[in-house]
Amino acid sequence: MKRLIRSFWQTRLARKWLPRNLPYYLKGGSSLVFNHTAGLLLGFFTTYVFTNYTSQQTYANFGYVLAVLSIASLAALPGVDTAVLYAAAKGYDGALPAGARLRLKTSLLGTAGMLLWAGFLYAVGRSSEAAVVAWCSPLVPLLYPFSSVFSYLQGKERFTEYTLANLAVEVAKTAAVAIVAIGLGLNGPPVILSLFLVMGLSHLLLTRAYSQGLGGDPGPEFASLGRTLTGVAVVGAVAGQLDRLIVGTFFGVSSMAAYNLGYTLTSPLRGFGVLAGRLLFPQIVRSDAAAPLFVRKYGLGLALLLVGLAGLVAAYWVLFPLVQPALFAGYEATIPMIRWLIVATALGIFDIVAAQALWGLKELRIVYITQTLFPIQRILLLALGGSLAGISGILISQVVHYSVSALVIIAFWIGKSRRRRPKG
């Protein structure tokens, strides 16, 4: 069998259509797929515990505080996370400790912002949401400054270690929620806090372990890339969480709980796109994405990805209504929501993978333009959809957003590659 595979690898067909470094993708990809699949199963169990052993108010508050924490994470300079990934891929190991120190310095601003928001919620009569936001606010400096350890491992192509570290964190989070909700029978903020506290402590311990002996220059582009992408991330974080913020702030508890269930059961799938992007990233930054051979191979990969995503959408549309009564009783309102959300998620996965090609165009200006304009586009569409048609408008606007983004990404990439083709 090995001889047969080796013979096929030497054929003209394989050289023309398959990636040049296929063993790298098979080895790294299998680790990442296993990691994310296991993470999804653990996340599914966590969701089952929340929806069956805690109140709808607790689950709604959990989804809401997740959105608020994502906004608060801007204080921890999220662009530095991508800068660490980029620097590690280029061989600058000092980026990990430098990035952690830099992010820790500013993260307390996120705590202050969450406390201010908790005060606002209390003033307008949302005391339950205000309490959980206030309780979670001190965790910002623990949750985000040390999460770049995973970007470092991916940039160094140490995917097996990444898988083991990430799985350890996910198992610890799931166990914490199960112990507090099922074992101790607690409800409300203790369940939510247990998950975030375990997550933050795990990130801290991993960063301390991997930072031992690392130092030196984080790379010539580390500071500028971190600043630029953090600026972009400010709008991106607001755009990414705006749907849940709108639903949680302006709609009832039952609507937020139903929406959060749909979001939780679809959005993590986008992690497959993120992981695929991280797997591709170290190779693409060292490639020429405008070269005809690259365009042909990557284009084939994107076409196959679309076929797989279509199957994923069909499965959700058919299967979720069948399992909802048994697994998520009382969440019937999630069925129409999840159908729109899975379409948006599938398109989002495609956008993430397609956008990796832009990093290989040797013009980071294109990356900056798309990462700046796409979040603004999403914010405008969500605001328009929500004002015109409520939750239905919010759902439809996400599908429109990811569809338009895909067209723009492909247009940039193909347009650049066509300008590179020799005339005549």
Side-chain angles (χ1 to χ4, degrees):
M1 178 61 70
K2 289 184 178 180
R3 183 179 301 175
L4 182 63
I5 295 175
R6 194 178 301 114
S7 298
F8 173 72
W9 185 246
Q10 300 300 321
T11 64
R12 181 181 178 185
L13 179 65
R15 291 196 301 270
K16 182 177 181 180
W17 292 106
L18 295 180
R20 180 177 55 188
N21 196 2
L22 187 60
Y24 160 82
Y25 292 112
L26 292 176
K27 181 180 179 180
S30 60
S31 295
L32 293 179
V33 168
F34 171 77
N35 164 74
H36 198 62
T37 301
L40 283 177
L41 294 175
L42 291 168
F44 179 84
F45 178 72
T46 302
T47 300
Y48 180 81
V49 172
F50 266 110
T51 54
N52 287 273
Y53 291 91
T54 69
S55 65
Q56 281 199 358
Q57 180 74 69
T58 296
Y59 190 53
N61 286 348
F62 174 60
Y64 188 74
V65 79
L66 271 174
V68 175
L69 279 167
S70 295
I71 303 299
S73 71
L74 295 174
L77 308 177
V80 173
D81 195 43
T82 304
V84 169
L85 172 66
Y86 188 80
K90 293 286 189 178
Y92 296 98
D93 291 350
L96 176 59
R101 289 193 299 268
L102 183 60
R103 301 185 74 184
L104 184 60
K105 289 178 182 178
T106 59
S107 60
L108 285 174
L109 294 174
T111 296
M114 287 187 68
L115 289 173
L116 289 174
W117 188 250
F120 165 77
L121 291 171
Y122 184 79
V124 299
R126 306 297 290 267
S127 57
S128 179
E129 291 87 348
V132 74
V133 169
W135 275 107
C136 291
S137 62
L139 298 179
V140 175
L142 192 61
L143 286 169
Y144 299 106
F146 307 109
S147 62
S148 295
V149 64
F150 297 105
S151 294
Y152 170 78
L153 291 175
Q154 290 173 336
K156 299 301 292 181
E157 302 179 10
R158 294 160 69 172
F159 297 114
T160 300
E161 293 174 61
Y162 168 88
T163 296
L164 294 174
N166 192 66
L167 280 180
V169 175
E170 293 301 315
V171 169
K173 287 162 53 180
T174 302
V177 171
I179 290 171
V180 175
I182 301 176
L184 301 179
L186 298 178
N187 201 0
V191 184
I192 299 172
L193 282 168
S194 66
L195 184 148
F196 291 128
L197 184 60
V198 167
M199 178 180 172
L201 289 174
S202 299
H203 289 174
L204 173 61
L205 292 175
L206 286 170
T207 299
R208 286 179 61 87
Y210 278 103
S211 294
Q212 296 295 324
L214 297 183
D217 186 9
E221 298 174 296
F222 178 78
S224 61
L225 190 61
R227 285 194 303 268
T228 302
L229 293 182
T230 292
V232 170
V234 170
V235 183
V238 174
Q241 302 301 324
L242 187 59
D243 54 336
R244 286 196 291 176
L245 286 173
I246 292 174
V247 176
T249 302
F250 298 106
F251 296 85
V253 171
S254 59
S255 294
M256 180 57 188
Y259 190 90
N260 190 50
L261 177 59
Y263 183 94
T264 302
L265 294 178
T266 56
S267 184
L269 292 171
R270 196 171 293 125
F272 281 113
V274 174
L275 293 179
R278 294 293 177 91
L279 178 67
L280 293 163
F281 188 89
Q283 299 289 317
I284 289 179
V285 296
R286 296 192 290 265
S287 302
D288 182 2
L293 183 61
F294 182 97
V295 173
R296 181 167 60 247
K297 292 183 177 182
Y298 208 69
L300 175 62
L302 291 177
L304 294 175
L305 176 62
L306 278 176
V307 174
L309 293 174
L312 176 67
V313 171
Y316 263 75
W317 275 61
V318 173
L319 295 178
F320 183 75
L322 300 179
V323 303
Q324 176 271 319
L327 297 178
F328 308 106
Y331 287 81
E332 296 84 0
T334 301
I335 293 176
M337 296 181 185
I338 207 169
R339 285 176 165 170
W340 284 105
L341 287 170
I342 191 59
V343 174
T345 297
L347 290 169
I349 293 171
F350 178 84
D351 289 357
I352 291 169
V353 177
Q356 299 308 306
L358 302 182
W359 286 94
L361 295 179
K362 311 308 178 186
E363 292 184 19
L364 293 182
R365 179 176 59 89
I366 296 177
V367 175
Y368 297 152
I369 290 173
T370 55
Q371 292 197 12
T372 301
L373 294 182
F374 288 167
I376 296 174
Q377 170 186 278
R378 179 180 165 90
I379 290 172
L380 293 176
L381 287 172
L382 285 172
L384 179 62
S387 63
L388 293 177
I391 294 179
S392 297
I394 290 172
L395 293 167
I396 295 171
S397 66
Q398 293 181 71
V399 174
V400 174
H401 161 68
Y402 289 116
S403 299
V404 173
S405 299
L407 293 175
V408 172
I409 291 168
I410 298 300
F412 267 124
W413 176 41
I414 299 302
K416 185 68 176 178
S417 65
R418 285 184 178 277
R419 287 195 293 269
R420 282 282 307 278
R421 291 180 182 177
K423 295 182 180 180

